[in-house]
C-alpha cells in the first residue's frame, strides 16, 4: 500500500468541549489473513501519570470507547493513543487500513489511519494512532 498514513494530529479544543469524548475505532479494511489484533487505549494529560483506559482483544468490528470525563478536561495539554498490536502466528502477512476517530461532544472529529503492511514471514508489528489535545 502507498505510504499515505495519518498517524498523529494536534487539535485545539477548549477544556469545556472535551467532556464526553469518544474514540471510534473502525473495522480494518483489507486482507487480514490469520492475524490477531490486541487494542490498548491510553493517554496522559499535563501533570498526570499515563493512564490506560482499555485493553482487550480487538474483535475487528467497529468499537467505540468513551474516555473518562475526568481525563481530557483536566489539563491544558495531553494526548490519547490507540495502539493495535498485530500478531501473525502463521506468517502469512497482512495488508489493511486501520482507522480511528476522536469524536468530541461539540461535533469536532479528527480521523487518523494507518495503511498497514505486515510482510509474509513477519511475526508482529504495531499501529499507533495519537491525538494531542491543546487549548
Amino acid at each position: 500500500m502507498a505510504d499515505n498514513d495519518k498517524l498523529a494530529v494536534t487539535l485545539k479544543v477548549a477544556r469545556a468541549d472535551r467532556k464526553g469524548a469518544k474514540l471510534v475505532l473502525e473495522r480494518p479494511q483489507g486482507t487480514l489473513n490469520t492475524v490477531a489484533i490486541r487494542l490498548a487505549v491510553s493517554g496522559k494529560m499535563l501533570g498526570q501519570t499515563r493512564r490506560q483506559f482499555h485493553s482487550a482483544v480487538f474483535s475487528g468490528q467497529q468499537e467505540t470507547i468513551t474516555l473518562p470525563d475526568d481525563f481530557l478536561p483536566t489539563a491544558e495539554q495531553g494526548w490519547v493513543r490507540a495502539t493495535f498490536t498485530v500478531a501473525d502466528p502463521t506468517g502469512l502477512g497482512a495488508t489493511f487500513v486501520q482507522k480511528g476517530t476522536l469524536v468530541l461532544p461539540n461535533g469536532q472529529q479528527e480521523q487518523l489511519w494507518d495503511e498497514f503492511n505486515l510482510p509474509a514471514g513477519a511475526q508482529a508489528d504495531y499501529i499507533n494512532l495519537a491525538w494531542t489535545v491543546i487549548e
Side-chain angles (χ1 to χ4, degrees):
M1 293 182 134
D3 191 17
N4 294 320
D5 303 336
K6 184 177 179 185
L7 302 174
V9 68
T10 299
L11 302 166
K12 189 172 183 174
V13 183
R15 287 187 212 186
D17 293 334
R18 300 179 191 173
K19 195 172 189 175
K22 297 176 182 178
L23 277 183
V24 178
L25 304 162
E26 295 183 19
R27 176 186 182 124
Q29 299 295 314
T31 305
L32 279 80
N33 290 323
T34 60
V35 298
I37 303 174
R38 182 159 188 85
L39 168 64
V41 176
S42 59
K44 183 179 185 318
M45 295 305 289
L46 192 64
Q48 296 179 2
T49 58
R50 181 181 163 276
R51 293 172 63 180
Q52 185 165 305
F53 309 118
H54 179 84
S55 179
V57 172
F58 184 57
S59 69
Q61 300 301 313
Q62 180 172 304
E63 190 165 337
T64 299
I65 298 166
T66 302
L67 301 176
D69 284 340
D70 69 342
F71 177 62
L72 281 177
T74 59
E76 175 183 335
Q77 179 177 329
W79 54 264
V80 175
R81 180 174 56 214
T83 300
F84 298 85
T85 305
V86 182
D88 185 8
T90 62
L92 292 174
T95 305
F96 61 92
V97 177
Q98 181 62 60
K99 295 180 181 180
T101 304
L102 178 65
V103 179
L104 298 158
N106 68 358
Q108 186 175 356
Q109 298 184 32
E110 187 66 39
Q111 186 176 69
L112 299 178
W113 62 90
D114 188 354
E115 293 184 357
F116 184 78
N117 182 22
L118 185 66
Q123 295 298 308
D125 203 348
Y126 62 91
I127 299 167
N128 277 321
L129 303 178
W131 296 262
T132 300
V133 180
I134 62 172
E135 273 190 313

